[in-house]
Amino acid sequence: MKIGLDILGGDYAPGNPLQGVLMALPEIPENSRLVLIGDEHAARSFFKEKGTDISKIEFFHSTEIIEMGAHPTKAFAQKPNSTISVGFQLLKDQKIDAFISAGNTGAMLVGSMFSVKAVPGIFRPCIASILPKENGGTGLILDVGTNADCKPDVLYQFAILGKLYAEFVLKVNTPKVGLLNIGEEPEKGNLVSQAAYNLMKDSKDFNFIGNVEGRDLFNDKADVIVCEGFVGNVVLKTAEAFYTLIKKTRAENDYFKRFNYEIYGGTPILGINGNVIIGHGISSPLAFKNQILQCRTVIEAALPEKIKQIFS
């Protein structure tokens, strides 16, 4: 198993990615390798200073980055030697089993579509985020930002992708799938939501439990919550703001601590021919460590292969 990590991606690179590698190395199996994509000289110097055994590490040298504010499509095409471009080439060539970057999110999405490409039959790949449940469980919401506007059949596919991730990565038996709406009744919501409900209600592809509301995000009513990327991103950013406010008021408890993005790693891109994790731009060393460990779980779940089987 080889996990590729862009060590120049993120607001605090390469320090935070390299510190995250240090934290992850003790938990990496002997037969696994970390492939670090970035400034090899700086990385080797860092590990030498720390006295680190680098027998589980390989290097691909690159000092070119795609800046956070760069146009994703243009930058990906014009910078073939950037860390993100190199990472996707390695993934495409099957020289790594997963690729992580906390760099330009748009470039990561473009790389996914133009390099490893979408699974045949998938209308639009999407990104998902964890929802910590009040009972200690874990839920999933998708899409959270890739597709601001969706047709009903796209939302139907999100339900399938979410079900597969919940079942094989989060280890939820027969995950309950809900459609995020402004009411529980079938006729509630806009025309897209109503049409999506009618598509999902008799589905044999997943266990559809009907519409769910915003108040159901963190309870056990659904394991997978489906919505357009516009709505999902608002939910995600609201949860992040909520957690920040709790920290400021020092009102934290064990449940609220689970809103900390660092403990989940990153956001998977679902529906593509490869394992790709997008990290938060401000990812801490702990977040990078958990992105690496998250990749191991995703690789072992063989999710792209299972998605291909469903959509073939």
Side-chain angles (χ1 to χ4, degrees):
M1 181 186 299
K2 290 189 175 183
I3 298 171
L5 172 63
D6 173 10
I7 60 172
L8 297 185
D11 296 342
Y12 304 105
N16 282 7
L18 293 175
Q19 290 284 356
V21 169
L22 277 183
M23 297 169 69
L25 277 175
E27 300 181 43
I28 299 296
E30 286 300 321
N31 62 343
S32 298
R33 294 291 181 270
L34 296 182
V35 179
L36 306 188
I37 304 156
D39 190 333
E40 179 178 353
H41 308 299
R44 285 185 179 276
S45 176
F46 173 86
F47 292 125
K48 183 178 180 180
E49 181 183 332
K50 300 292 184 181
T52 306
D53 177 5
I54 60 172
S55 59
K56 295 180 183 178
I57 299 176
E58 298 177 15
F59 301 90
F60 269 82
H61 181 70
S62 173
T63 57
E64 188 173 43
I65 64 171
I66 295 178
E67 294 81 5
M68 288 296 196
H71 188 282
T73 306
K74 290 180 180 178
F76 190 81
Q78 295 171 358
K79 292 189 173 184
N81 296 317
S82 68
T83 51
I84 288 179
S85 298
V86 170
F88 274 109
Q89 189 60 49
L90 292 173
L91 187 64
K92 180 181 179 182
D93 293 341
Q94 299 183 340
K95 293 181 178 178
I96 56 176
D97 300 298
F99 177 47
I100 306 165
S101 179
N104 186 305
T105 299
M108 290 292 287
L109 295 170
V110 168
S112 297
M113 292 298 294
F114 287 91
S115 183
V116 295
K117 304 185 184 303
V119 170
I122 293 287
F123 300 133
R124 296 186 186 181
C126 64
I127 53 179
S129 184
I130 294 296
L131 293 173
K133 293 186 178 184
E134 58 188 354
N135 67 355
T138 302
L140 190 76
I141 182 170
L142 70 168
D143 180 31
V144 293
T146 311
N147 307 282
D149 297 294
C150 298
K151 293 181 179 179
D153 52 357
V154 174
L155 293 174
Y156 186 94
Q157 288 194 348
F158 289 173
I160 297 175
L161 295 174
K163 175 249 185 181
L164 292 172
Y165 192 89
E167 185 174 0
F168 293 106
V169 178
L170 301 181
K171 306 300 182 184
V172 179
N173 292 324
T174 317
K176 298 168 288 186
V177 177
L179 179 66
L180 189 58
N181 207 329
I182 58 173
E184 295 182 354
E185 298 82 2
E187 66 275 7
K188 284 293 182 71
N190 55 23
L191 294 177
V192 172
S193 298
Q194 293 172 25
Y197 183 98
N198 287 329
L199 279 179
M200 294 178 178
K201 65 180 181 181
D202 297 319
S203 175
K204 293 184 171 50
D205 293 320
F206 46 84
N207 175 24
F208 184 59
I209 53 107
N211 288 329
V212 296
E213 300 179 73
R215 62 188 174 191
D216 300 313
L217 287 168
F218 308 111
N219 62 30
D220 199 38
K221 186 170 183 179
D223 300 301
V224 176
I225 294 181
V226 175
C227 60
E228 294 176 315
F230 182 92
V231 176
N233 194 264
V234 171
V235 169
L236 180 63
K237 297 295 174 58
T238 301
E240 289 179 353
F242 183 63
Y243 174 70
T244 301
L245 286 173
I246 288 172
K247 285 190 69 177
K248 285 182 178 179
T249 59
R250 299 183 180 179
E252 287 186 272
N253 59 32
D254 288 341
Y255 173 66
F256 290 136
K257 287 177 181 177
R258 296 179 63 216
F259 281 80
N260 182 1
Y261 79 94
E262 295 173 300
I263 65 176
Y264 300 108
T267 300
I269 303 179
L270 302 179
I272 59 173
N273 290 298
N275 300 303
V276 177
I277 301 292
I278 299 176
H280 203 305
I282 61 169
S283 288
S284 66
L286 177 61
F288 278 107
K289 172 199 171 183
N290 286 324
Q291 286 163 31
I292 293 167
L293 300 182
Q294 178 186 13
C295 268
R296 178 186 168 192
T297 304
V298 171
I299 292 168
E300 290 175 345
L303 202 60
E305 288 72 22
K306 290 179 172 64
I307 292 172
K308 288 175 192 174
Q309 290 171 11
I310 294 293
F311 285 89
S312 62

